[in-house]
Amino acid sequence: MKKDTLRKVRITDTTLRDAHQSLWATRMRTDDILKIASAIDDAGYYSLECWGGATFDVCMRFLRENPWERLRQIKAVCRKTPLQMLLRGQNILGYKHYPDDIVERFVALACENGMDIFRVFDALNDPRNLETAIASVKKYGGHAQGTICYTTSPVHTVAAYVKLARQEAAMGIDSLAIKDMAGILTPGAARELVDALVKALPEMPIQVHSHMTSGMATAMYMAAVEAGAGCVDTAISTMSSFSSQPPCESMASILESEGFSTGLDMKKLAEINAYFAELKKTRQPASSAKMEPVDAGVLVHAIPGGMISNLRSQLAAQDALDRLPEVLEELPKTRADMGYPPLVTPTSQIVGVQSVLNVLSGKRYSMVTDETKHYAAGYYGRTPAPIDKKLQKKLIGELKPITCRPADLLKPGLAAAAKDIPPKLIKAEEDILSYCLFPEVALEYFKWRAQSDDAKDPIPADLEMQNGAAGKEACPHAAVDPETAKFAEIGRAFAALMAACGGTKADLSAVKLGVAAPSGRVGEAALSPLQAGRSDKDVASQVKEPAGTPVKAPLNGTFYRSASPGKPELAKDGAAVKAGDACCIVEAMKLFNPIKATATGTITFVAKHGSPVAKGDTLAVIA
Ligand code: CO
């Protein structure tokens, strides 16, 4: 075949976003990028994915960098290759719906600072949640890439995906991405889906994004390309595979052997790879080095790898790791009950936490998170399949269900946000947008930035590296995954909810996710605020033990005098309890553990409601 007749397949490089988010807990720094940016720009990629929710969050939270500045600096070097970002539709880079004025202004500033291609997705594939973002990208001159979040379920048919693609095409998208975040798209299914999309929308460029988690992605890309996809996402080989993207060099060789051209400069790729192979020695966290090359389990349960490691660490933190098989069995059932949402942030967290609660509470939906409530009431968008009416009523309680576009309920928010920040901390308009998306994290970063240069607090990521090096780990640091931190955050919202239900008449809406967000200090994700604030004084303030059979705390956590997560009212001293029945709760990290009565009799509580307790502390005595 003559060179000029070869069909061109474009390659997007994810090394600067998804690859290090998947393998390095998003710890790549701007300086790391700038040292190799020029070579990357010369390699012949179609686009460079370099911005998204986690990169933005980690920049401020752990690296003490301004994400906007990172964008400007990359753009200053990469003049040939378009920059690309992942945008969560109406959620922008955060975890909730933002008013339209914030979405529009964010997109405008991103364009102004050098972003070219916006991959816009919605966790529920609800087109109403994509409208404003796509319209804004078009308005400010960006390339709007629509997205299909790929998942499998009885309602996720090829016809349903084609319908979604047509809806997005009607919004004026420039291209369409199939986003296979769990790495579950098989070559056969990809061929069928791309084939149908090409028939329905012959002019629409199609790009495929996947992860090597299950080991299928290179073969799947090949099938998709043969069916008509024109662009695939890869990472430079040393930062590919495992839960990252397929290796760029291998994919390019496969494509070229099949008569496609990629236009990539293999010499440049070798130079780039050598750079990241060296950088890996100081940037790859210990947790990543322990990863299995292929997680064949995904082929069976279709649960994204990152989600399972979250579930595992949460359960381990409370000595309930043995219940992981039960949680993995429960998760698909919870997902079905919730109308089969694709498992991607934030639905992966909502479904994951709810599944854990369904197992640990002993009774499904006896404890429902605030997030589940809002999800079931329609505040995240339309669920792919409707939720059973009876279950929905049980889940949402007093909350009013909605059917409109969730953002229609929101008043413009930019002006109010600007007023929230102390004026001396704001340097530019972009700071207000950073604050809207990650309020606590941004404020802490602004305060750090305002410190004088010779008296700045240490950078959290540097501390992680020092701590890792001092510890037993062979690899430099045990990094906190922002998604894990998010998971802990949801748990903290429960803790606040429980405390609120337990006595005060606090406004329950105040514990909505985001309000109870962590301040983001390293390692804090492992502690509830009450645990973190535990002191000897708290312990001494506990009442002297009366005589009887003690009920002891099985783990460190926060004590609640409630009999079960579903019954938030306080249990009373002198109440009759039966041996084996739940008589109180210890919340550890993010989960509520009902504690069983050790005897039959009348109970007297020793620990204070809402106070931190240590494993072995006496919580109550039964006489
Ligand atoms: Co991805």
mmCIF file of all heavy atoms in Angstrom, residues 366-409:
data_model
loop_
_atom_site.group_PDB
_atom_site.id
_atom_site.type_symbol
_atom_site.label_atom_id
_atom_site.label_comp_id
_atom_site.label_asym_id
_atom_site.label_seq_id
_atom_site.Cartn_x
_atom_site.Cartn_y
_atom_site.Cartn_z
ATOM 1 N N SER A 366 -31.506 0.166 55.188
ATOM 2 C CA SER A 366 -31.901 0.628 56.519
ATOM 3 C C SER A 366 -31.149 1.920 56.809
ATOM 4 O O SER A 366 -31.569 2.747 57.597
ATOM 5 C CB SER A 366 -31.598 -0.429 57.584
ATOM 6 O OG SER A 366 -30.213 -0.691 57.631
ATOM 7 N N MET A 367 -30.011 2.092 56.156
ATOM 8 C CA MET A 367 -29.284 3.357 56.241
ATOM 9 C C MET A 367 -29.060 3.830 54.812
ATOM 10 O O MET A 367 -28.533 3.094 53.975
ATOM 11 C CB MET A 367 -27.958 3.102 56.933
ATOM 12 C CG MET A 367 -26.962 4.200 56.731
ATOM 13 S SD MET A 367 -26.634 5.043 58.256
ATOM 14 C CE MET A 367 -26.062 6.621 57.641
ATOM 15 N N VAL A 368 -29.528 5.037 54.535
ATOM 16 C CA VAL A 368 -29.416 5.575 53.180
ATOM 17 C C VAL A 368 -28.623 6.869 53.242
ATOM 18 O O VAL A 368 -28.911 7.741 54.061
ATOM 19 C CB VAL A 368 -30.821 5.830 52.585
ATOM 20 C CG1 VAL A 368 -30.716 6.523 51.240
ATOM 21 C CG2 VAL A 368 -31.574 4.519 52.444
ATOM 22 N N THR A 369 -27.610 6.987 52.398
ATOM 23 C CA THR A 369 -26.799 8.210 52.424
ATOM 24 C C THR A 369 -27.584 9.371 51.824
ATOM 25 O O THR A 369 -28.508 9.179 51.035
ATOM 26 C CB THR A 369 -25.513 8.043 51.595
ATOM 27 O OG1 THR A 369 -25.880 8.003 50.218
ATOM 28 C CG2 THR A 369 -24.762 6.781 51.959
ATOM 29 N N ASP A 370 -27.153 10.549 52.202
ATOM 30 C CA ASP A 370 -27.765 11.749 51.660
ATOM 31 C C ASP A 370 -27.620 11.767 50.134
ATOM 32 O O ASP A 370 -28.513 12.189 49.408
ATOM 33 C CB ASP A 370 -27.064 12.960 52.277
ATOM 34 C CG ASP A 370 -27.818 14.232 52.016
ATOM 35 O OD1 ASP A 370 -29.033 14.261 52.315
ATOM 36 O OD2 ASP A 370 -27.221 15.180 51.504
ATOM 37 N N GLU A 371 -26.469 11.277 49.669
ATOM 38 C CA GLU A 371 -26.217 11.231 48.223
ATOM 39 C C GLU A 371 -27.192 10.288 47.522
ATOM 40 O O GLU A 371 -27.723 10.602 46.459
ATOM 41 C CB GLU A 371 -24.786 10.761 47.959
ATOM 42 C CG GLU A 371 -23.731 11.683 48.511
ATOM 43 C CD GLU A 371 -23.958 13.114 48.084
ATOM 44 O OE1 GLU A 371 -23.890 13.372 46.882
ATOM 45 O OE2 GLU A 371 -24.221 13.960 48.945
ATOM 46 N N THR A 372 -27.398 9.105 48.115
ATOM 47 C CA THR A 372 -28.344 8.138 47.530
ATOM 48 C C THR A 372 -29.729 8.764 47.449
ATOM 49 O O THR A 372 -30.439 8.637 46.454
ATOM 50 C CB THR A 372 -28.389 6.859 48.376
ATOM 51 O OG1 THR A 372 -27.096 6.271 48.374
ATOM 52 C CG2 THR A 372 -29.386 5.855 47.828
ATOM 53 N N LYS A 373 -30.112 9.456 48.536
ATOM 54 C CA LYS A 373 -31.416 10.126 48.590
ATOM 55 C C LYS A 373 -31.580 11.075 47.417
ATOM 56 O O LYS A 373 -32.581 11.048 46.708
ATOM 57 C CB LYS A 373 -31.463 10.979 49.867
ATOM 58 C CG LYS A 373 -32.375 10.429 50.912
ATOM 59 C CD LYS A 373 -32.414 11.354 52.103
ATOM 60 C CE LYS A 373 -32.671 10.446 53.279
ATOM 61 N NZ LYS A 373 -32.444 10.997 54.552
ATOM 62 N N HIS A 374 -30.588 11.947 47.244
ATOM 63 C CA HIS A 374 -30.679 12.944 46.175
ATOM 64 C C HIS A 374 -30.620 12.298 44.804
ATOM 65 O O HIS A 374 -31.309 12.711 43.885
ATOM 66 C CB HIS A 374 -29.577 13.997 46.339
ATOM 67 C CG HIS A 374 -29.921 15.024 47.376
ATOM 68 N ND1 HIS A 374 -29.687 14.820 48.715
ATOM 69 C CD2 HIS A 374 -30.533 16.225 47.274
ATOM 70 C CE1 HIS A 374 -30.129 15.873 49.387
ATOM 71 N NE2 HIS A 374 -30.647 16.742 48.544
ATOM 72 N N TYR A 375 -29.794 11.273 44.690
ATOM 73 C CA TYR A 375 -29.699 10.539 43.424
ATOM 74 C C TYR A 375 -31.065 9.953 43.066
ATOM 75 O O TYR A 375 -31.561 10.138 41.954
ATOM 76 C CB TYR A 375 -28.642 9.434 43.545
ATOM 77 C CG TYR A 375 -28.657 8.469 42.388
ATOM 78 C CD1 TYR A 375 -27.915 8.719 41.238
ATOM 79 C CD2 TYR A 375 -29.439 7.312 42.436
ATOM 80 C CE1 TYR A 375 -27.945 7.842 40.165
ATOM 81 C CE2 TYR A 375 -29.480 6.432 41.377
ATOM 82 C CZ TYR A 375 -28.741 6.703 40.238
ATOM 83 O OH TYR A 375 -28.787 5.845 39.180
ATOM 84 N N ALA A 376 -31.684 9.279 44.037
ATOM 85 C CA ALA A 376 -32.964 8.603 43.789
ATOM 86 C C ALA A 376 -34.089 9.607 43.519
ATOM 87 O O ALA A 376 -35.079 9.280 42.877
ATOM 88 C CB ALA A 376 -33.323 7.704 44.967
ATOM 89 N N ALA A 377 -33.920 10.824 44.013
ATOM 90 C CA ALA A 377 -34.956 11.842 43.807
ATOM 91 C C ALA A 377 -34.754 12.606 42.494
ATOM 92 O O ALA A 377 -35.514 13.508 42.176
ATOM 93 C CB ALA A 377 -34.975 12.811 44.983
ATOM 94 N N GLY A 378 -33.702 12.273 41.744
ATOM 95 C CA GLY A 378 -33.508 12.890 40.439
ATOM 96 C C GLY A 378 -32.560 14.074 40.405
ATOM 97 O O GLY A 378 -32.409 14.715 39.372
ATOM 98 N N TYR A 379 -31.904 14.370 41.522
ATOM 99 C CA TYR A 379 -31.063 15.564 41.582
ATOM 100 C C TYR A 379 -29.730 15.401 40.855
ATOM 101 O O TYR A 379 -28.959 16.350 40.745
ATOM 102 C CB TYR A 379 -30.832 15.994 43.039
ATOM 103 C CG TYR A 379 -32.076 16.581 43.658
ATOM 104 C CD1 TYR A 379 -33.017 15.775 44.290
ATOM 105 C CD2 TYR A 379 -32.333 17.954 43.577
ATOM 106 C CE1 TYR A 379 -34.180 16.307 44.825
ATOM 107 C CE2 TYR A 379 -33.486 18.499 44.114
ATOM 108 C CZ TYR A 379 -34.409 17.667 44.744
ATOM 109 O OH TYR A 379 -35.551 18.204 45.268
ATOM 110 N N TYR A 380 -29.402 14.194 40.394
ATOM 111 C CA TYR A 380 -28.195 14.000 39.574
ATOM 112 C C TYR A 380 -28.557 13.896 38.100
ATOM 113 O O TYR A 380 -27.666 13.892 37.254
ATOM 114 C CB TYR A 380 -27.450 12.729 40.003
ATOM 115 C CG TYR A 380 -26.690 12.912 41.302
ATOM 116 C CD1 TYR A 380 -27.331 12.816 42.524
ATOM 117 C CD2 TYR A 380 -25.334 13.205 41.282
ATOM 118 C CE1 TYR A 380 -26.647 13.008 43.705
ATOM 119 C CE2 TYR A 380 -24.627 13.394 42.457
ATOM 120 C CZ TYR A 380 -25.288 13.296 43.667
ATOM 121 O OH TYR A 380 -24.608 13.485 44.834
ATOM 122 N N GLY A 381 -29.842 13.755 37.821
ATOM 123 C CA GLY A 381 -30.293 13.577 36.445
ATOM 124 C C GLY A 381 -31.179 12.348 36.361
ATOM 125 O O GLY A 381 -31.481 11.709 37.374
ATOM 126 N N ARG A 382 -31.569 12.036 35.125
ATOM 127 C CA ARG A 382 -32.457 10.899 34.912
ATOM 128 C C ARG A 382 -31.657 9.610 34.996
ATOM 129 O O ARG A 382 -30.616 9.492 34.348
ATOM 130 C CB ARG A 382 -33.114 11.046 33.542
ATOM 131 C CG ARG A 382 -34.348 10.184 33.348
ATOM 132 C CD ARG A 382 -34.961 10.408 31.964
ATOM 133 N NE ARG A 382 -35.565 11.729 31.821
ATOM 134 C CZ ARG A 382 -35.274 12.585 30.841
ATOM 135 N NH1 ARG A 382 -34.362 12.282 29.941
ATOM 136 N NH2 ARG A 382 -35.875 13.747 30.774
ATOM 137 N N THR A 383 -32.136 8.644 35.777
ATOM 138 C CA THR A 383 -31.420 7.370 35.883
ATOM 139 C C THR A 383 -31.670 6.578 34.593
ATOM 140 O O THR A 383 -32.747 6.681 34.000
ATOM 141 C CB THR A 383 -31.893 6.568 37.107
ATOM 142 O OG1 THR A 383 -33.310 6.386 37.026
ATOM 143 C CG2 THR A 383 -31.567 7.297 38.392
ATOM 144 N N PRO A 384 -30.682 5.763 34.149
ATOM 145 C CA PRO A 384 -30.849 5.035 32.885
ATOM 146 C C PRO A 384 -32.131 4.201 32.852
ATOM 147 O O PRO A 384 -32.851 4.196 31.859
ATOM 148 C CB PRO A 384 -29.603 4.161 32.824
ATOM 149 C CG PRO A 384 -28.571 4.928 33.592
ATOM 150 C CD PRO A 384 -29.335 5.594 34.715
ATOM 151 N N ALA A 385 -32.424 3.478 33.942
ATOM 152 C CA ALA A 385 -33.704 2.781 34.061
ATOM 153 C C ALA A 385 -34.429 3.412 35.243
ATOM 154 O O ALA A 385 -33.785 3.903 36.173
ATOM 155 C CB ALA A 385 -33.489 1.293 34.307
ATOM 156 N N PRO A 386 -35.764 3.447 35.212
ATOM 157 C CA PRO A 386 -36.461 4.058 36.345
ATOM 158 C C PRO A 386 -36.251 3.243 37.626
ATOM 159 O O PRO A 386 -36.091 2.030 37.573
ATOM 160 C CB PRO A 386 -37.931 4.052 35.912
ATOM 161 C CG PRO A 386 -38.034 3.132 34.745
ATOM 162 C CD PRO A 386 -36.672 2.962 34.159
ATOM 163 N N ILE A 387 -36.249 3.937 38.758
ATOM 164 C CA ILE A 387 -36.144 3.249 40.048
ATOM 165 C C ILE A 387 -37.551 2.837 40.458
ATOM 166 O O ILE A 387 -38.500 3.618 40.300
ATOM 167 C CB ILE A 387 -35.530 4.179 41.110
ATOM 168 C CG1 ILE A 387 -34.119 4.607 40.669
ATOM 169 C CG2 ILE A 387 -35.496 3.522 42.483
ATOM 170 C CD1 ILE A 387 -33.450 5.598 41.600
ATOM 171 N N ASP A 388 -37.697 1.639 40.949
ATOM 172 C CA ASP A 388 -38.983 1.140 41.429
ATOM 173 C C ASP A 388 -39.614 2.171 42.370
ATOM 174 O O ASP A 388 -38.965 2.668 43.298
ATOM 175 C CB ASP A 388 -38.743 -0.193 42.162
ATOM 176 C CG ASP A 388 -40.002 -0.683 42.846
ATOM 177 O OD1 ASP A 388 -40.897 -1.156 42.132
ATOM 178 O OD2 ASP A 388 -40.085 -0.573 44.098
ATOM 179 N N LYS A 389 -40.896 2.516 42.115
ATOM 180 C CA LYS A 389 -41.563 3.606 42.846
ATOM 181 C C LYS A 389 -41.551 3.403 44.362
ATOM 182 O O LYS A 389 -41.337 4.338 45.127
ATOM 183 C CB LYS A 389 -43.016 3.756 42.360
ATOM 184 C CG LYS A 389 -43.119 4.537 41.058
ATOM 185 C CD LYS A 389 -43.202 6.048 41.324
ATOM 186 C CE LYS A 389 -43.123 6.882 40.066
ATOM 187 N NZ LYS A 389 -41.783 7.308 39.667
ATOM 188 N N LYS A 390 -41.778 2.142 44.774
ATOM 189 C CA LYS A 390 -41.835 1.867 46.222
ATOM 190 C C LYS A 390 -40.453 2.067 46.861
ATOM 191 O O LYS A 390 -40.329 2.673 47.923
ATOM 192 C CB LYS A 390 -42.321 0.425 46.468
ATOM 193 C CG LYS A 390 -43.623 0.396 47.277
ATOM 194 C CD LYS A 390 -44.212 -0.994 47.359
ATOM 195 C CE LYS A 390 -43.685 -1.766 48.567
ATOM 196 N NZ LYS A 390 -44.137 -3.169 48.550
ATOM 197 N N LEU A 391 -39.442 1.565 46.158
ATOM 198 C CA LEU A 391 -38.079 1.718 46.680
ATOM 199 C C LEU A 391 -37.689 3.195 46.690
ATOM 200 O O LEU A 391 -37.098 3.695 47.648
ATOM 201 C CB LEU A 391 -37.086 0.904 45.834
ATOM 202 C CG LEU A 391 -35.616 1.052 46.248
ATOM 203 C CD1 LEU A 391 -35.387 0.481 47.653
ATOM 204 C CD2 LEU A 391 -34.688 0.363 45.249
ATOM 205 N N GLN A 392 -38.052 3.910 45.606
ATOM 206 C CA GLN A 392 -37.711 5.330 45.533
ATOM 207 C C GLN A 392 -38.280 6.071 46.742
ATOM 208 O O GLN A 392 -37.593 6.870 47.380
ATOM 209 C CB GLN A 392 -38.244 5.952 44.232
ATOM 210 C CG GLN A 392 -37.757 7.388 44.025
ATOM 211 C CD GLN A 392 -38.548 8.169 43.003
ATOM 212 O OE1 GLN A 392 -39.755 7.980 42.865
ATOM 213 N NE2 GLN A 392 -37.873 9.051 42.295
ATOM 214 N N LYS A 393 -39.530 5.767 47.092
ATOM 215 C CA LYS A 393 -40.174 6.430 48.220
ATOM 216 C C LYS A 393 -39.400 6.157 49.508
ATOM 217 O O LYS A 393 -39.152 7.052 50.318
ATOM 218 C CB LYS A 393 -41.619 5.943 48.341
ATOM 219 C CG LYS A 393 -42.531 7.011 48.920
ATOM 220 C CD LYS A 393 -43.989 6.715 48.688
ATOM 221 C CE LYS A 393 -44.898 7.542 49.566
ATOM 222 N NZ LYS A 393 -44.466 8.740 50.155
ATOM 223 N N LYS A 394 -38.989 4.902 49.649
ATOM 224 C CA LYS A 394 -38.232 4.518 50.839
ATOM 225 C C LYS A 394 -36.880 5.239 50.886
ATOM 226 O O LYS A 394 -36.447 5.707 51.939
ATOM 227 C CB LYS A 394 -38.013 3.000 50.808
ATOM 228 C CG LYS A 394 -37.260 2.478 52.005
ATOM 229 C CD LYS A 394 -37.157 0.969 52.004
ATOM 230 C CE LYS A 394 -36.286 0.563 53.186
ATOM 231 N NZ LYS A 394 -36.230 -0.861 53.386
ATOM 232 N N LEU A 395 -36.241 5.349 49.722
ATOM 233 C CA LEU A 395 -34.909 5.956 49.684
ATOM 234 C C LEU A 395 -34.950 7.454 49.937
ATOM 235 O O LEU A 395 -34.105 7.991 50.644
ATOM 236 C CB LEU A 395 -34.246 5.709 48.316
ATOM 237 C CG LEU A 395 -33.892 4.275 47.953
ATOM 238 C CD1 LEU A 395 -33.319 4.218 46.535
ATOM 239 C CD2 LEU A 395 -32.889 3.687 48.938
ATOM 240 N N ILE A 396 -35.934 8.141 49.365
ATOM 241 C CA ILE A 396 -35.879 9.607 49.414
ATOM 242 C C ILE A 396 -36.549 10.195 50.642
ATOM 243 O O ILE A 396 -36.309 11.347 50.976
ATOM 244 C CB ILE A 396 -36.446 10.259 48.129
ATOM 245 C CG1 ILE A 396 -37.962 10.046 48.023
ATOM 246 C CG2 ILE A 396 -35.753 9.731 46.899
ATOM 247 C CD1 ILE A 396 -38.563 10.751 46.812
ATOM 248 N N GLY A 397 -37.359 9.407 51.340
ATOM 249 C CA GLY A 397 -38.011 9.924 52.551
ATOM 250 C C GLY A 397 -38.840 11.155 52.244
ATOM 251 O O GLY A 397 -39.707 11.126 51.375
ATOM 252 N N GLU A 398 -38.524 12.256 52.924
ATOM 253 C CA GLU A 398 -39.305 13.493 52.785
ATOM 254 C C GLU A 398 -38.905 14.321 51.568
ATOM 255 O O GLU A 398 -39.560 15.299 51.226
ATOM 256 C CB GLU A 398 -39.152 14.366 54.037
ATOM 257 C CG GLU A 398 -39.669 13.715 55.320
ATOM 258 C CD GLU A 398 -41.113 13.239 55.177
ATOM 259 O OE1 GLU A 398 -41.989 14.090 54.887
ATOM 260 O OE2 GLU A 398 -41.355 12.033 55.325
ATOM 261 N N LEU A 399 -37.787 13.939 50.931
ATOM 262 C CA LEU A 399 -37.268 14.731 49.823
ATOM 263 C C LEU A 399 -38.254 14.713 48.646
ATOM 264 O O LEU A 399 -38.840 13.684 48.346
ATOM 265 C CB LEU A 399 -35.933 14.127 49.387
ATOM 266 C CG LEU A 399 -34.947 15.013 48.646
ATOM 267 C CD1 LEU A 399 -34.529 16.200 49.504
ATOM 268 C CD2 LEU A 399 -33.723 14.185 48.268
ATOM 269 N N LYS A 400 -38.404 15.866 47.987
ATOM 270 C CA LYS A 400 -39.343 15.955 46.863
ATOM 271 C C LYS A 400 -38.648 15.487 45.579
ATOM 272 O O LYS A 400 -37.626 16.040 45.197
ATOM 273 C CB LYS A 400 -39.781 17.420 46.723
ATOM 274 C CG LYS A 400 -41.058 17.609 45.941
ATOM 275 C CD LYS A 400 -41.472 19.083 46.007
ATOM 276 C CE LYS A 400 -42.314 19.482 44.813
ATOM 277 N NZ LYS A 400 -41.599 19.645 43.557
ATOM 278 N N PRO A 401 -39.214 14.477 44.900
ATOM 279 C CA PRO A 401 -38.567 14.035 43.660
ATOM 280 C C PRO A 401 -38.723 15.074 42.548
ATOM 281 O O PRO A 401 -39.722 15.795 42.512
ATOM 282 C CB PRO A 401 -39.302 12.740 43.298
ATOM 283 C CG PRO A 401 -40.599 12.794 44.028
ATOM 284 C CD PRO A 401 -40.424 13.691 45.220
ATOM 285 N N ILE A 402 -37.734 15.154 41.648
ATOM 286 C CA ILE A 402 -37.818 16.106 40.532
ATOM 287 C C ILE A 402 -37.666 15.366 39.214
ATOM 288 O O ILE A 402 -37.080 14.284 39.161
ATOM 289 C CB ILE A 402 -36.736 17.208 40.624
ATOM 290 C CG1 ILE A 402 -35.322 16.595 40.590
ATOM 291 C CG2 ILE A 402 -36.922 18.076 41.842
ATOM 292 C CD1 ILE A 402 -34.236 17.586 40.240
ATOM 293 N N THR A 403 -38.192 15.967 38.131
ATOM 294 C CA THR A 403 -38.014 15.373 36.806
ATOM 295 C C THR A 403 -37.380 16.378 35.844
ATOM 296 O O THR A 403 -37.057 16.038 34.715
ATOM 297 C CB THR A 403 -39.369 14.913 36.206
ATOM 298 O OG1 THR A 403 -40.282 16.006 36.283
ATOM 299 C CG2 THR A 403 -39.947 13.729 36.955
ATOM 300 N N CYS A 404 -37.190 17.627 36.293
ATOM 301 C CA CYS A 404 -36.593 18.635 35.414
ATOM 302 C C CYS A 404 -35.081 18.445 35.359
ATOM 303 O O CYS A 404 -34.519 17.630 36.069
ATOM 304 C CB CYS A 404 -36.907 20.037 35.931
ATOM 305 S SG CYS A 404 -36.161 20.394 37.538
ATOM 306 N N ARG A 405 -34.408 19.227 34.512
ATOM 307 C CA ARG A 405 -32.945 19.238 34.496
ATOM 308 C C ARG A 405 -32.474 19.778 35.855
ATOM 309 O O ARG A 405 -32.894 20.867 36.269
ATOM 310 C CB ARG A 405 -32.454 20.170 33.367
ATOM 311 C CG ARG A 405 -30.944 20.198 33.194
ATOM 312 C CD ARG A 405 -30.551 21.218 32.117
ATOM 313 N NE ARG A 405 -30.650 22.579 32.608
ATOM 314 C CZ ARG A 405 -29.617 23.442 32.705
ATOM 315 N NH1 ARG A 405 -28.424 23.070 32.316
ATOM 316 N NH2 ARG A 405 -29.804 24.661 33.157
ATOM 317 N N PRO A 406 -31.652 19.036 36.583
ATOM 318 C CA PRO A 406 -31.306 19.456 37.949
ATOM 319 C C PRO A 406 -30.796 20.895 38.031
ATOM 320 O O PRO A 406 -31.153 21.636 38.954
ATOM 321 C CB PRO A 406 -30.215 18.467 38.364
ATOM 322 C CG PRO A 406 -30.469 17.247 37.539
ATOM 323 C CD PRO A 406 -31.051 17.734 36.238
ATOM 324 N N ALA A 407 -29.989 21.317 37.045
ATOM 325 C CA ALA A 407 -29.411 22.664 37.122
ATOM 326 C C ALA A 407 -30.457 23.761 36.963
ATOM 327 O O ALA A 407 -30.197 24.918 37.291
ATOM 328 C CB ALA A 407 -28.315 22.819 36.069
ATOM 329 N N ASP A 408 -31.673 23.405 36.462
ATOM 330 C CA ASP A 408 -32.732 24.408 36.355
ATOM 331 C C ASP A 408 -33.163 24.927 37.724
ATOM 332 O O ASP A 408 -33.769 25.980 37.834
ATOM 333 C CB ASP A 408 -33.953 23.827 35.629
ATOM 334 C CG ASP A 408 -33.713 23.701 34.133
ATOM 335 O OD1 ASP A 408 -32.786 24.371 33.628
ATOM 336 O OD2 ASP A 408 -34.439 22.929 33.479
ATOM 337 N N LEU A 409 -32.859 24.163 38.760
ATOM 338 C CA LEU A 409 -33.256 24.574 40.109
ATOM 339 C C LEU A 409 -32.222 25.498 40.756
ATOM 340 O O LEU A 409 -32.422 25.987 41.859
ATOM 341 C CB LEU A 409 -33.443 23.336 40.997
ATOM 342 C CG LEU A 409 -34.475 22.302 40.515
ATOM 343 C CD1 LEU A 409 -34.388 21.058 41.364
ATOM 344 C CD2 LEU A 409 -35.873 22.901 40.559
#
